[in-house]
Amino acid sequence: MDLKKLNSLTKYPSILTYHKLGERGRLTEELTDERGLLNGSDKLYVYEKVNGENARIILFKNQYDEMDYLIGSREELLYAKGDRIGNPYGNIAEFLKPIAEKFIENHTPQDDWALTVIYQESYGGKTKAAKNYTEDKTQSYKVFDVFSLSRGELDSLLSLPHEKIAEWREHGNQPFYNEEEKTTFIQTNNLEYAPLVAELNGAQLPRLIEETFNFLKGFEQTKVGINATGKSEGIIVRSVDRKQIRKIRFEDYERTLR
């Protein structure tokens, strides 16, 4: 299996800001896209955005038809089962290995199944915002997205050149689980997950920058403190099918309104 291609197709795509970014990282009053999130009849889920290191557990069927795994950060693969890859960056691999091992112990790969990617934020520990979550550098994680591929889907993607795989990913083609599927997967596997902090519809979302900042202040205190309770990074707003997803972060609005 081409690990460079696998790394590319399992990277987490960029999430757009709710308001468009302008000069010097400041937001403009123009929304990134009104068509999805602001449709008044559509239900939206609001999750806390946890401030840590984006990480992924990549579960796949190897050449022996056995379940295998890789662990990666946002950009690179850090560990492969059996120490075939070893990178101590951020203690991510060491922390997530027991979760991947337990998953493999409890599952038998299905005939047509080829790949599942579990995305989580690894936080606390030595991450830059650890003080908002822990007093003693304890590390934790929260799952926020999952997707799976069949054997045919994976083989077809791996046959593409690198640039086409990156294009497929950044155009939103990773088949993420919808809210119901994701919740079922997380609960079935006893995983920790990013907290749902509100449910609303598009008409309830503010449009102006100052109004949005005031709305954001309602989610200022983190709900995932390990042994400390500080400030959250912000929120993620997403549609039920996850085809629309935006980030609303304190630092962006504070910088803009200073």
Side-chain angles (χ1 to χ4, degrees):
M1 186 179 291
D2 188 325
L3 291 183
K4 287 185 177 179
K5 288 186 177 181
L6 188 65
N7 182 41
S8 181
L9 75 87
T10 61
K11 284 182 180 180
Y12 197 69
S14 302
I15 298 178
L16 296 173
T17 53
Y18 178 53
H19 285 93
K20 284 187 177 180
L21 284 171
E23 296 181 358
R24 300 180 181 178
R26 290 185 172 87
L27 301 167
T28 71
E29 290 287 0
E30 187 178 359
L31 298 178
T32 304
D33 183 3
E34 294 191 14
R35 290 173 297 174
L37 289 178
L38 292 177
N39 184 330
S41 63
D42 285 351
K43 186 175 182 179
L44 300 175
Y45 292 97
V46 181
Y47 283 89
E48 179 177 337
K49 190 176 190 308
V50 183
N51 197 342
E53 295 279 359
N54 188 294
R56 51 196 154 128
I57 296 174
I58 305 162
L59 302 150
F60 64 97
K61 190 187 292 185
N62 63 23
Q63 67 266 38
Y64 306 109
D65 267 354
E66 299 169 335
M67 189 174 280
D68 206 340
Y69 73 86
L70 296 157
I71 294 173
S73 63
R74 174 182 286 279
E75 294 297 330
E76 59 185 319
L77 300 177
L78 303 177
Y79 182 82
K81 184 183 178 186
D83 291 316
R84 288 168 291 165
I85 301 173
N87 184 331
Y89 174 78
N91 199 45
I92 290 173
E94 196 63 31
F95 182 71
L96 294 179
K97 271 196 302 183
I99 300 168
E101 294 283 358
K102 183 178 179 181
F103 194 97
I104 286 179
E105 286 176 13
N106 295 334
H107 291 79
T108 301
Q110 303 300 311
D111 288 343
D112 193 40
W113 174 85
L115 177 87
T116 293
V117 190
I118 306 170
Y119 295 94
Q120 58 269 305
E121 197 77 7
S122 175
Y123 71 105
K126 296 181 180 179
T127 58
K128 64 179 182 179
K131 66 180 182 180
N132 288 314
Y133 308 104
T134 176
E135 296 177 347
D136 56 8
K137 298 190 183 301
T138 301
Q139 191 170 352
S140 188
Y141 77 95
K142 292 291 180 284
V143 173
F144 56 86
D145 259 319
V146 183
F147 83 76
S148 294
L149 296 173
S150 67
R151 170 54 58 192
E153 289 168 334
L154 180 59
D155 288 346
S156 177
L157 283 164
L158 292 176
S159 71
L160 298 174
H162 289 276
E163 62 272 16
K164 289 296 183 182
I165 292 174
E167 183 180 317
W168 169 85
R169 180 190 71 237
E170 289 302 322
H171 279 77
N173 291 311
Q174 290 164 312
F176 287 105
Y177 290 8
N178 62 31
E179 286 298 314
E180 183 178 350
E181 292 167 335
K182 184 188 72 170
T183 300
T184 299
F185 180 91
I186 287 170
Q187 291 177 346
T188 300
N189 294 289
N190 296 312
L191 299 171
E192 297 185 27
Y193 52 93
L196 178 66
V197 294
E199 296 182 25
L200 42 81
N201 59 54
Q204 294 173 283
L205 271 183
R207 290 174 175 264
L208 301 178
I209 286 176
E210 191 163 356
E211 291 174 348
T212 303
F213 184 49
N214 290 332
F215 171 78
L216 184 59
K217 288 177 182 177
F219 309 102
E220 189 163 15
Q221 188 176 69
T222 183
K223 294 185 179 298
V224 298
I226 303 165
N227 51 34
T229 304
K231 186 177 180 180
S232 76
E233 185 180 9
I235 55 176
I236 297 290
V237 183
R238 53 198 289 173
S239 58
V240 175
D241 61 7
R242 202 210 165 278
K243 293 188 183 299
Q244 294 287 335
I245 180 168
R246 298 290 183 267
K247 60 186 176 185
I248 303 177
R249 302 185 304 174
F250 279 100
E251 64 175 301
D252 294 330
Y253 289 84
E254 288 168 345
R255 182 190 305 114
T256 301
L257 293 169
R258 266 201 294 269

